């Protein structure tokens, strides 16, 4: 059977592209290597009725109205504002750094208007490259060495298994610093968790007469037998080109789930552990959807170099390599026969909303060219 488009991967990037193509009247085949849809935002309900995110915590947040309207066509969201505490010096402290964090750590009582001066004194005492050249420089230039060492240094070493000075500044830009008492992890206008889960959201996106989904099939094993006008590729960038410019690095997670016979394990959904233990964070899933159960399911995250690719690794070496692959991608995309989109195919540290934004944009550009 002929398909107008073959979409490789049934995560957010692939399903968004498939939906837009299907709505434009194209017949779309989605091929998914795993035996489930939804990619890394896959979730399921466990035996205690708690929705578990298979690949670690996913919180939807965006300032992009188009994206928010797109996802709201396929699911309702609950009202959820993500809060994180960091376990440091034996205490649970608000994170990212805000006024209350400073009061806790330094045992002081300052007002919002005094925060800027306080932090600038911390920065003055510290050494860093100005302008910042790497992850450490960005953080130290904002909050000084003391807070960098307490909250960032060891978490980053655990997460990436490298010196924070080898990581590019962009990684640090994900974490805000606030002078006020806002203790949310994200300040985006639209935030929430899909009421019936991410898997259901993706199932609804893919539920269209023009879309056929095949699971448990590796695209690379069947690609020679497929005929289509367009391939939307969302898998690993280097794999597509047979690693011709060398391997790109990815980080994975070893996620250990535990169920406890207590109502709550911790006060918020996520607690970070920068300095203690081998895990980086613990997620207690029931907080996300306010699920009621006498038991609770929590997830310990142990970063590792082995296993499924969860994260791209933002070092200059990987980014140089990415550039070579990107040139090949641009050449293929110019033919009108390919779209590369998503965290893996673009080798970008995208959030979920950014994946959807990129997929909508690239697919619409392709359609406008027809
Ligand atoms: N980070 C840190 N301490 C924390 C949280 C984050 O040093 O308590 C750093 C760490 O390098 C991490 C990066 O900031 O990889 C981005 O954090 P984010 O929470 O965005 O990571 P993700 O949710 O993507 O795993």
């Amino acid at each position: 059977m002929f398909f107008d488009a073959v979409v490789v991967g049934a995560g957010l990037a692939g399903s968004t592209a498939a939906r837009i193509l299907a709505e434009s009247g194209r017949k779309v085949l989605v091929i998914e290597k795993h035996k489930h849809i939804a990619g890394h935002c896959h979730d399921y309900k466990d035996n205690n009725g708690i929705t578990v995110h298979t690949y670690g915590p996913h919180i939807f947040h965006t300032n992009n109205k188009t994206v928010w309207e797109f996802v709201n066509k396929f699911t309702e969201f609950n009202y959820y504002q993500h809060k994180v505490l960091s376990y440091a010096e034996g205490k649970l402290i608000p994170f990212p750094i805000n006024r209350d964090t400073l009061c806790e750590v330094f045992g002081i009582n300052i007002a919002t208007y005094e925060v800027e001066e306080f932090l600038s004194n911390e920065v003055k005492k510290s050494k860093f490259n100005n302008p910042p050249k790497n992850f450490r420089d960005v953080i130290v230039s904002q909050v000084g060495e003391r807070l960098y060492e307490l909250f960032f240094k060891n978490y980053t070493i655990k997460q990436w298994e490298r010196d924070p000075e080898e990581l590019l500044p962009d990684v640090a830009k994900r974490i805000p610093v606030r002078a006020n008492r806002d203790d949310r992890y994200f300040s985006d206008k639209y935030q929430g968790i899909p009421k019936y889960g991410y898997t259901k959201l993706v199932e609804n996106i893919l539920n269209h007469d023009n879309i056929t989904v095949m699971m448990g099939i590796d695209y690379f094993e069947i690609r020679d037998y497929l005929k289509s006008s367009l391939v939307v590729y969302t898998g690993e960038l280097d794999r597509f080109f047979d690693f011709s410019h060398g391997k790109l690095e990815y980080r994975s997670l070893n996620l250990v789930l535990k169920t406890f016979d207590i109502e709550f394990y911790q006060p918020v959904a996520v607690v970070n552990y920068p300095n203690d233990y081998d895990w980086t964070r613990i997620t207690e899933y029931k907080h996300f959807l306010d699920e009621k159960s006498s038991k609770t399911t929590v997830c310990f995250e142990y970063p590792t170099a082995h296993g499924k690719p969860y994260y791209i690794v933002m070092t200059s070496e990987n980014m140089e390599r990415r550039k070579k692959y990107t040139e090949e991608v641009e050449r293929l995309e110019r033919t009108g026969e390919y779209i590369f989109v998503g965290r893996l195919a673009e080798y970008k540290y995208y959030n979920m909303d950014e994946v959807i934004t990129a997929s909508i944009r690239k697919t619409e550009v392709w359609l406008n060219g027809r």
Side-chain angles (χ1 to χ4, degrees), residues 52-70:
V52 172
H53 296 179
T54 316
Y55 302 101
H58 282 71
I59 299 95
F60 200 89
H61 58 100
T62 189
N63 281 316
N64 185 324
K65 194 160 181 263
T66 309
V67 169
W68 186 242
E69 283 170 358
F70 178 80

Side-chain angles (χ1 to χ4, degrees), residues 86 95 135 151-152 155-156 159-160 171 174-175 185 272 281 311 343 349:
S86 186
F95 188 84
F135 177 90
F151 292 114
F152 294 92
Y155 187 106
T156 300
Q159 171 71 16
W160 304 102
V171 181
R174 295 174 64 82
I175 314 287
Y185 207 66
N272 289 354
R281 59 187 175 193
Y311 293 94
R343 198 187 256 220
Y349 197 168

Side-chain angles (χ1 to χ4, degrees), residues 73-140:
K73 282 198 279 184
F74 305 104
T75 183
E76 286 170 54
F77 281 80
N78 72 342
Y79 179 81
Y80 175 76
Q81 302 280 314
H82 190 44
K83 302 220 170 151
V84 173
L85 294 169
S86 186
Y87 180 77
E89 296 178 337
K91 289 187 283 191
L92 292 177
I93 302 176
F95 188 84
I97 292 170
N98 67 11
R99 181 182 132 196
D100 288 331
T101 315
L102 301 180
C103 295
E104 282 273 353
V105 171
F106 294 94
I108 49 172
N109 192 1
I110 52 170
T112 297
Y113 72 89
E114 296 169 305
V115 167
E116 199 181 319
E117 193 187 337
F118 182 88
L119 287 178
S120 91
N121 283 333
E122 284 300 300
V123 172
K124 267 186 219 145
K125 289 190 247 166
S126 310
K127 285 200 194 76
F128 59 96
N129 296 304
N130 202 1
K133 284 194 183 137
N134 55 53
F135 177 90
R136 180 188 180 280
D137 291 338
V138 176
I139 303 289
V140 175

